């Protein structure tokens, strides 16, 4: 039967439709009655999407490169995302499954909210209401990061948003409209603001798999960074990190020097619920652990070492020194890598297989992901400080992040930031003029060293002139964020919201450049959603 609904509303058995058109004249509602605290609690377990966009966003970003036809890709969506094509796949990591999973999560959240409302909003259910509101906001925020342009207050009233699902569906074919980015972000913000004060960690058995307080405030900090509400970002990051932020940062030294050196052990430590840095964990059906992880499937496109890892990301020379054999030089994460040079990866996501039929070896590829953590929240705050011009506090946060990510012992100063990020060559893309010698002193580096520095086109806000202290500091923070969120898709979000222009190489063809106003920055909606009547994202034909 053709999928009629634009937003999939299958929560608790809704819309069990036959193929008979006459039957569609009456909407059968087979929802299980959700009328107790226990049922609401169990329903909210499903308010977190079972698929994510890590793979397609990572392939869309400048963290991937075409290694040539001597290598193969593992999934169609891997190649289509790299080539910025409208996707045709409906596999686990396709845009269609991300769309379905996020709207289904929102549907479960809406059903929980309706049940709480029907019960009279009693005080004992307020924490569940808070979780449901945060889940609904999170699902739509994830969708916006895939299917919308970066938020720009100057154009938000005209840029396409997405339907905001705010109630359980009772119609077979409701009339959905995309609305604007201004409307979409306002809905997300309203849900966050209402939900935050209601969150209570005491209702959870394993808080890290739910919107506990730290996770909720970390989400609020990231969202308000994207929303360009700098003061709110700082306020919520403060709440997430507390008075001693160092206790919420990952101990990379422990990972690279004290754990067993096998990949699975280190991945399990990274996603552990006992890790203080981890605020929110989620499971997903995904191949990203196999493609972006040590299994190294699909090496045609990936985080390749000679041109990306050693030049632009966590093995690029910088204030931390030039990467080499010493674990105290470079970023710690650069010393916990696996995979071939075509798809070098950090020990984050191992990739597991869930059998539904062991005899025939049928099942699903699955992963546990860190969705929100203290390290990234700290960098949200550092960026907000830098955009506001508070470079002193930005430097404090940068040094704190750096102290747990490198053993070089170097203190980041504005002078060193300017030395490393103060030059930009538009022709070659090179920006690094100096690198640190590992002892706090800059040494000259060859002009072709490259750097993570990219030309910025701030969307809807201003920063200092190119080469200013402020702009150089923001370049460094974006480099830190790129390394921090490697294999998580976060780089694509930063590319969109900062208007960073990138290019993808293609074997036998000129590089494909993604310029500032390229509409492909918003991935196309699933084909069946468009055929059902929702306005597609524009494309240059």
């Amino acid at each position: 039967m053709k999928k009629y609904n634009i937003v999939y509303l299958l929560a608790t058995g809704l819309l069990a439709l036959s193929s008979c058109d006459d039957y569609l004249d009456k909407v059968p509602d087979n929802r299980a009655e959700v009328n107790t605290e226990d049922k609401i609690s169990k329903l909210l377990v499903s308010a977190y999407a079972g698929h994510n966009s890590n793979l397609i966003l990572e392939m869309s970003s400048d963290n991937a490169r075409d290694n040539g036809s001597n290598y193969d890709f593992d999934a169609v969506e891997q190649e289509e995302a790299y080539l910025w094509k409208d996707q045709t796949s409906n596999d686990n990591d396709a845009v269609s499954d991300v769309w379905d999973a996020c709207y289904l999560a929102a549907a479960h959240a809406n059903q929980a909210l309706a049940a709480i409302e029907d019960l009279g909003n009693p005080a004992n259910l307020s924490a569940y209401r808070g979780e449901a509101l945060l889940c609904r906001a999170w699902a739509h925020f994830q969708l916006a990061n895939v299917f919308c342009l970066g938020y720009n207050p100057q154009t938000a009233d005209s840029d396409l948003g997405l339907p905001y699902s705010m109630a359980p569906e009772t119609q077979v074919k409701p009339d959905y409209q995309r609305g604007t980015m201004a409307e979409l972000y306002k809905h997300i913000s309203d849900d966050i603001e209402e939900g935050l004060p209601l969150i209570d960690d005491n209702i959870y058995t394993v808080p890290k798999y739910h919107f506990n307080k730290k996770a909720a405030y970390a989400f609020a900090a990231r969202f308000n960074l994207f929303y360009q509400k700098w003061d709110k970002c700082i306020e919520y990051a403060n709440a997430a990190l507390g008075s001693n932020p160092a206790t919420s940062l990952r101990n990379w030294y422990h990972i690279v020097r004290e754990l067993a050196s096998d990949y699975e052990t280190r991945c399990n430590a990274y996603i552990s619920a006992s890790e203080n840095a981890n605020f929110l964990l989620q499971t997903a059906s995904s191949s990203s652990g196999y493609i972006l992880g040590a299994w190294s499937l699909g090496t045609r496109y990936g985080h390749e070492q000679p041109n990306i890892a050693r030049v632009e990301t966590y093995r690029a020379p910088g204030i931390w020194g030039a990467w080499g054999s010493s674990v105290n030089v470079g970023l710690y994460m650069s010393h916990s890598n696996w995979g071939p040079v075509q798809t070098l990866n950090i020990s984050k996501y191992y990739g597991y297989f869930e059998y539904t039929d062991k005899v025939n070896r049928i099942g699903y590829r699955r992963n546990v992901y860190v969705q929100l953590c203290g390290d990234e929240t700290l960098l949200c705050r550092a960026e907000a400080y830098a955009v506001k011009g508070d470079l002193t506090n930005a430097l404090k946060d940068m040094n704190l992040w750096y102290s747990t990510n490198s053993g070089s012992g170097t203190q980041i100063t504005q002078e060193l930031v300017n030395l490393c990020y103060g030059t930009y060559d538009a022709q070659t893309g090179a920006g690094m003029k100096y690198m640190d010698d590992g002892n706090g002193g800059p040494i000259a580096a060859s002009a072709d060293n490259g750097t993570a520095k990219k030309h910025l086109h701030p969307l809807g806000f201003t920063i200092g002139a190119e080469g200013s202290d402020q702009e150089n500091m923001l370049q460094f923070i974006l480099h830190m964020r790129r390394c921090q969120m490697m294999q998580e898709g976060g780089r694509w979000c930063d590319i969109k919201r900062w208007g960073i222009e990138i290019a993808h190489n293609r074997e036998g063809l000129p590089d494909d450049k993604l310029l500032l106003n390229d509409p492909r920055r918003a991935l196309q909606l699933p084909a069946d959603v468009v055929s059902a009547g929702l306005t597609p994202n524009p494309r240059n034909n």
Side-chain angles (χ1 to χ4, degrees):
M1 177 181 174
K2 179 183 177 180
K3 294 175 180 174
Y4 285 97
N5 282 345
I6 294 169
V7 179
Y8 297 104
L9 306 155
L10 305 178
T12 60
L14 179 61
L15 299 182
L17 303 177
S18 80
S19 60
C20 174
D21 289 339
D22 291 338
Y23 191 59
L24 296 179
D25 292 337
K26 183 178 180 180
V27 180
D29 190 344
N30 294 329
R31 273 178 286 217
E33 190 173 5
V34 182
N35 55 7
T36 68
E37 179 178 339
D38 182 61
K39 289 180 180 179
I40 291 169
S41 173
K42 289 177 179 177
L43 178 60
L44 284 173
V45 172
S46 299
Y48 299 85
H51 296 263
N52 67 34
S53 56
N54 288 26
L55 179 62
I56 56 175
L57 298 192
E58 202 69 10
M59 289 296 112
S60 298
S61 78
D62 52 358
N63 286 341
R65 182 176 174 84
D66 183 356
N67 294 303
S69 56
N70 288 335
Y71 305 93
D72 200 4
F73 53 87
D74 181 69
V76 173
E77 56 266 33
Q78 182 186 6
E79 179 168 71
E80 290 177 335
Y82 180 84
L83 297 175
W84 298 316
K85 288 184 175 180
D86 293 355
Q87 290 199 15
T88 61
S89 169
N90 60 358
D91 288 339
N92 284 338
D93 294 283
V95 293
S96 57
D97 273 4
V98 173
W99 178 280
D100 293 359
C102 288
Y103 273 119
L104 183 57
H108 284 116
N110 285 332
Q111 191 61 50
L113 289 168
I116 294 169
E117 182 74 24
D118 289 344
L119 291 169
N121 284 316
N124 67 305
L125 296 180
S126 62
Y128 295 106
R129 178 174 176 79
E131 182 182 11
L133 289 167
L134 267 294
C135 284
R136 185 168 73 181
W138 177 254
H140 289 91
F141 182 58
Q142 298 297 95
L143 288 164
N145 289 336
V146 177
F147 299 106
C148 299
L149 297 173
Y151 180 83
N152 182 348
Q154 296 176 357
T155 60
D157 285 328
S158 57
D159 289 342
L160 284 171
L162 291 170
Y164 203 86
S165 178
M166 300 184 71
E169 289 299 332
T170 58
Q171 301 178 54
V172 175
K173 193 178 180 182
D175 181 22
Y176 289 106
Q177 301 296 324
R178 288 194 61 171
T180 66
M181 278 293 286
E183 293 167 335
L184 175 60
Y185 262 53
K186 177 64 165 55
H187 285 311
I188 296 172
S189 181
D190 287 347
D191 276 353
I192 290 174
E193 295 298 322
E194 183 179 353
L196 274 178
L198 303 178
I199 295 297
D200 183 354
D201 293 0
N202 293 318
I203 67 172
Y204 304 128
T205 303
V206 186
K208 296 290 181 74
Y209 281 88
H210 298 268
F211 269 112
N212 58 79
K213 285 187 177 181
K214 284 190 174 184
Y217 281 110
F219 169 32
R222 185 191 295 179
F223 170 73
N224 279 285
L225 183 75
F226 287 25
Y227 204 10
Q228 300 181 25
K229 309 293 186 184
W230 317 118
D231 289 333
K232 276 188 172 292
C233 172
I234 293 167
E235 174 190 351
Y236 292 139
N238 289 343
L241 295 168
S243 59
N244 187 6
T247 61
S248 293
L249 303 183
R250 193 175 309 278
N251 185 346
W252 271 104
Y253 178 86
H254 169 67
I255 293 174
V256 301
R257 293 299 299 269
E258 297 173 349
L259 285 181
S261 60
D262 66 285
Y263 189 76
E264 185 173 8
T265 296
R266 294 187 178 186
C267 288
N268 287 339
Y270 189 86
I271 61 171
S272 172
S274 63
E275 167 58 60
N276 289 337
N278 294 338
F279 292 168
L280 179 66
L281 302 171
Q282 287 185 247
T283 62
S285 295
S286 173
S287 294
S288 59
Y290 287 81
I291 294 173
L292 304 175
W295 298 92
S296 300
L297 303 181
T299 51
R300 171 72 188 262
Y301 306 101
H303 181 245
E304 178 253 19
Q305 176 165 275
N307 295 285
I308 302 180
R310 294 288 297 269
V311 175
E312 294 195 3
T313 62
Y314 49 73
R315 284 187 173 176
I319 285 175
W320 42 75
W323 181 81
S325 59
S326 172
V327 74
N328 289 325
V329 178
L331 294 175
Y332 283 134
M333 64 182 70
S334 71
H335 295 275
S336 191
N337 295 155
W338 271 260
V341 295
Q342 293 79 24
T343 55
L344 194 69
N345 67 85
I346 309 172
S347 52
K348 286 185 174 182
Y349 306 124
Y350 184 71
Y352 298 94
F353 198 82
E354 178 185 350
Y355 285 101
T356 55
D357 183 342
K358 287 191 174 181
V359 174
N360 293 307
R361 303 184 65 79
I362 297 172
Y364 299 96
R365 293 175 177 177
R366 295 190 64 83
N367 277 101
V368 177
Y369 296 93
V370 178
Q371 296 283 41
L372 295 162
C373 68
D375 308 80
E376 192 265 339
T377 303
L378 182 71
L379 293 180
C380 287
R381 189 172 73 179
E383 184 180 329
Y385 278 135
V387 174
K388 282 170 56 68
D390 186 350
L391 305 189
T392 299
N393 276 317
L395 268 177
K396 288 179 181 178
D397 283 348
M398 292 163 69
N399 272 296
L400 182 54
W401 183 90
Y402 184 64
S403 69
T404 62
N405 279 273
S406 176
S408 71
T410 303
Q411 182 75 12
I412 300 173
T413 64
Q414 186 68 61
E415 180 184 14
L416 278 178
V417 171
N418 290 345
L419 285 171
C420 286
Y421 295 87
T423 307
Y424 179 76
D425 187 328
Q427 297 299 315
T428 66
M432 183 172 291
K433 187 176 181 181
Y434 295 93
M435 63 183 179
D436 192 88
D437 63 0
N439 296 308
I443 57 175
S446 61
D448 61 355
N449 261 329
T451 181
K453 179 164 183 171
K454 303 278 184 173
H455 193 63
L456 304 179
H457 299 276
L459 300 181
F461 56 97
T462 58
I463 58 171
E466 186 171 328
S468 67
D469 288 357
Q470 184 183 28
E471 194 262 349
N472 294 338
M473 187 172 292
L474 283 163
Q475 290 279 4
F476 192 10
I477 293 169
L478 288 172
H479 190 178
M480 288 174 160
R481 285 182 60 84
R482 186 175 180 183
C483 296
Q484 173 66 48
M485 303 188 78
M486 182 66 63
Q487 297 159 220
E488 299 173 18
R491 175 61 177 175
W492 178 248
C493 299
D494 288 353
I495 286 169
K496 291 206 297 184
R497 64 192 183 87
W498 275 98
I500 298 171
E501 296 183 342
I502 63 173
H504 277 176
N505 71 303
R506 301 174 298 170
E507 185 182 45
L509 294 170
D511 290 355
D512 189 2
K513 298 180 180 179
L514 191 78
L515 301 180
L516 175 62
N517 295 316
D518 196 315
R520 294 176 298 175
R521 289 174 178 265
L523 303 189
Q524 189 56 276
L525 308 187
D528 56 354
V529 172
V530 174
S531 66
L534 202 61
T535 303
N537 286 325
R539 287 291 181 265
N540 292 333
N541 296 319

